[in-house]
């Protein structure tokens, strides 16, 4: 815990330092831009080109600020924004950066003074500015200590307050407006609908292929065996053909159950996701470990999407990854169910492939997030976050 606090404090200080340096660059940019706009008065036609160039330069500075805020102050969800908004942000941001630099200078001054006083006390120096007749006066010591404590308090508040001001300014000018958020949401829903339609069509084609190549072939073989049994006059031969037909019927029934299971496992409604995933793990040709930590049973839609994500990821790992083991993890935090499927295979999975892109469509249809991390050499991590609120 203590190490985490130290890391956070160091990260915040680094962000303030970089913000102060960028403030100097931004102030210089504004001064140069002001000088560059002077010729516009004489040549009005050049105004659009000059203003456009200034705004593009401001966007580059805004991008640097966006990266700093995300990396050191955990301020995200910024953008997209226009060049004009970036210029407005840069034009108003530099005083905050200079304020942060001033706070850091005060902090550095206080540290230097404190070190000098401690050094003088440890090595027998004289504090002539607080000594009275060779002895240190308590009143004089308090007169020095109280301003030092006040300065320290102001430094701490400044280091905390500067990122807050940064965040408010960035969210005002660099964050999308309500209209932009609504437009983005409509675009996402439109894309999700198109992906869902594509997923449904892929599922239909796959079911048709499975029925044609599996169940239908079994039924044709079953019909041939029964036909041969009817035509034969040898009772022993007829009995053998009937036995083979019985086996073919059982295999056809197993294939039909397999197709139905892949379409939708009806036991999911009865047993729940945990038991169904346990059955799926037992049927896998690769050893599968399951970690299930959901306090309550999620909604049916979440269970269904989570099942298909796990099923497809396990199937892909068994077919293509060459993995020795698969780990499935299901957890819930802040009203979201997180599904992780990890294998130690060769990696290189293509997120744009038919299977994984279909999963991405299913997850997007449920307003979730889907990612695949599969570097060459492995491991492959399939992650889905599903809202269950």
């Amino acid at each position: 815990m203590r190490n985490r606090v130290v890391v956070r404090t160091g990260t915040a200080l680094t962000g303030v330092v970089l913000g102060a340096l960028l403030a100097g660059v931004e102030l210089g940019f504004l001064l140069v831009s002001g000088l560059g706009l002077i010729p516009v008065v004489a040549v009005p036609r050049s105004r659009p080109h000059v203003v456009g160039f200034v705004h593009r330069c401001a966007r580059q500075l805004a991008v640097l600020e966006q990266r700093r805020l995300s990396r050191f102050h955990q301020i995200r969800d910024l953008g997209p924004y226009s060049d004009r908004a970036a210029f407005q942000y840069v034009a108003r941001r530099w005083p905050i950066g200079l304020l942060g630099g001033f706070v850091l200078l005060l902090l550095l001054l206080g540290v230097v003074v404190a070190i000098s006083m401690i050094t003088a006390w440890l090595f027998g120096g004289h504090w002539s500015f607080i000594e009275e007749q060779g002895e240190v006066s308590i009143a004089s010591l308090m007169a020095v200590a109280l301003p030092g404590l006040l300065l320290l308090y102001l430094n701490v508040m400044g280091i905390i307050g500067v990122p807050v001001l940064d965040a408010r300014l960035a969210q005002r000018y660099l964050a999308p407006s309500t209209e932009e958020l609504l437009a983005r949401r409509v675009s996402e829903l439109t894309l999700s609908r198109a992906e869902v339609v594509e997923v449904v069509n892929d599922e239909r084609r796959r079911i048709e292929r499975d029925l044609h190549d599996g169940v239908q072939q079994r039924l044709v073989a079953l019909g041939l065996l029964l036909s041969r049994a009817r035509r034969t006059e040898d009772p022993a031969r007829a009995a053998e053909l009937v036995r083979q037909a019985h086996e073919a019927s059982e295999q056809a029934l197993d294939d039909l159950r397999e197709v139905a299971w892949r379409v939708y496992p009806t036991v999911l409604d009865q047993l729940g996701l945990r038991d169904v995933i346990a059955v799926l793990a037992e049927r896998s040709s690769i050893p599968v470990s399951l970690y299930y930590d959901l306090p309550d049973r999620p909604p049916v839609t979440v269970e269904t999407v989570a099942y298909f994500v796990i099923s497809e990821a396990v199937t892909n790992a068994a077919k293509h990854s060459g993995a020795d083991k698969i780990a499935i993890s299901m957890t819930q935090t802040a009203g979201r169910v997180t599904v992780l499927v990890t294998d130690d295979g060769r990696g290189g999975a293509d997120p744009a492939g038919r299977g994984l892109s279909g999963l991405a469509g299913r997850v997007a249809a449920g307003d979730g997030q889907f990612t695949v991390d599969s570097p060459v050499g492995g491991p492959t991590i399939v992650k889905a976050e599903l809202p269950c609120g």
Side-chain angles (χ1 to χ4, degrees):
M1 184 66 179
R2 184 178 301 174
N3 293 336
R4 185 178 301 177
V5 172
V6 172
V7 171
R8 288 181 179 178
T9 303
T11 301
L13 280 174
T14 304
V16 174
V17 171
L18 293 177
L21 296 177
L22 281 174
V25 176
E26 291 160 357
L27 181 58
F29 163 74
L30 292 174
L31 294 176
V32 173
S33 300
L35 295 176
L37 291 175
I38 294 177
V40 173
V41 179
V43 187
R45 294 181 180 179
S46 64
R47 177 182 174 83
H49 302 285
V50 174
V51 172
F53 177 76
V54 170
H55 284 179
R56 288 192 296 272
C57 293
R59 170 175 281 275
Q60 300 303 316
L61 290 174
V63 169
L64 292 177
E65 287 285 0
Q66 185 176 350
R67 293 177 180 175
R68 178 184 68 87
L69 294 173
S70 175
R71 172 63 180 84
F72 298 101
H73 300 306
Q74 288 73 48
I75 302 172
R76 299 179 175 87
D77 300 327
L78 300 178
Y81 45 85
S82 64
D83 293 345
R84 180 180 178 84
F87 178 79
Q88 292 175 338
Y89 169 74
V90 171
R92 292 164 175 79
R93 194 263 150 194
W94 64 268
I96 299 176
L98 294 184
L99 175 62
F102 178 71
V103 170
L104 292 173
L105 287 178
L106 289 180
L107 178 62
L108 181 61
L109 176 62
V111 170
V112 171
V113 172
I115 292 176
S116 63
M117 294 178 64
I118 293 174
T119 303
W121 178 66
L122 291 177
F123 296 98
H126 296 286
W127 298 354
S128 57
F129 53 92
I130 59 173
E131 286 184 351
E132 293 182 1
Q133 298 180 355
E135 295 183 358
V136 177
S137 170
I138 298 299
S140 301
L141 184 61
M142 292 298 294
V144 175
L146 288 178
L149 292 175
L150 179 60
L151 180 61
L152 177 61
Y153 174 78
L154 293 176
N155 286 330
V156 172
M157 292 297 102
I159 294 173
I160 295 174
V162 168
V164 173
L165 294 176
D166 259 340
R168 291 181 178 178
L169 187 67
Q171 289 169 354
R172 179 176 180 181
Y173 290 99
L174 303 185
S177 63
T178 304
E179 292 77 8
E180 292 172 339
L181 289 175
L182 290 175
R184 185 189 304 178
R185 183 58 177 163
V186 170
S187 177
E188 291 175 353
L189 292 176
T190 303
L191 180 60
S192 297
R193 185 180 62 181
E195 291 176 344
V196 169
V197 172
E198 184 64 26
V199 168
V200 170
N201 291 333
D202 287 342
E203 289 294 331
R204 288 175 177 172
R205 288 190 290 267
R206 183 180 63 82
I207 293 170
E208 181 183 3
R209 184 174 61 252
D210 291 343
L211 291 175
H212 180 274
D213 298 340
V215 178
Q216 180 175 331
Q217 298 300 323
R218 299 284 189 191
L219 294 177
V220 170
L222 174 61
L224 292 174
L225 288 171
L226 291 175
S227 178
R228 290 170 60 188
R230 289 178 60 186
R231 291 196 304 267
T232 184
E233 297 179 356
D234 183 2
R237 179 61 178 167
E240 175 63 22
L241 291 173
V242 170
R243 185 189 64 81
Q244 293 179 11
H246 182 263
E247 291 179 355
S249 67
E250 290 182 342
Q251 292 173 352
L253 187 59
D254 290 339
D255 289 345
L256 187 59
R257 288 198 189 100
E258 185 70 22
V259 173
W261 180 277
R262 288 199 295 267
V263 173
Y264 181 80
T266 55
V267 293
L268 188 61
D269 297 331
Q270 304 169 1
L271 302 179
L273 183 60
R274 181 172 188 171
D275 292 337
V276 172
I277 297 303
V279 173
L280 182 66
E282 292 177 358
R283 298 171 59 185
S284 173
S285 59
I286 301 176
V288 177
S289 62
L290 173 61
Y291 177 76
Y292 187 96
D293 187 21
L294 301 183
D296 301 310
R297 183 172 177 177
V300 176
T301 54
V302 174
E303 284 190 330
T304 304
V305 175
Y307 164 77
F308 280 109
V309 169
I310 296 172
S311 177
E312 185 70 23
V314 171
T315 301
N316 288 343
K319 288 183 178 179
H320 310 296
S321 71
D324 295 324
K325 58 183 178 179
I326 302 173
I328 301 174
S329 171
M330 297 193 64
T331 57
Q332 180 176 344
T333 54
R336 297 179 72 85
V337 172
T338 301
V339 178
L340 283 176
V341 182
T342 307
D343 69 71
D344 61 351
R346 65 177 65 95
D350 183 12
R354 176 171 295 180
L356 293 177
S357 62
L359 290 182
R362 284 183 180 272
V363 175
D367 201 19
Q369 296 179 349
F370 180 81
T371 57
V372 178
D373 183 14
S374 183
V376 177
T380 296
I381 303 175
V382 177
K383 180 180 181 180
E385 292 182 301
L386 304 168
C388 60

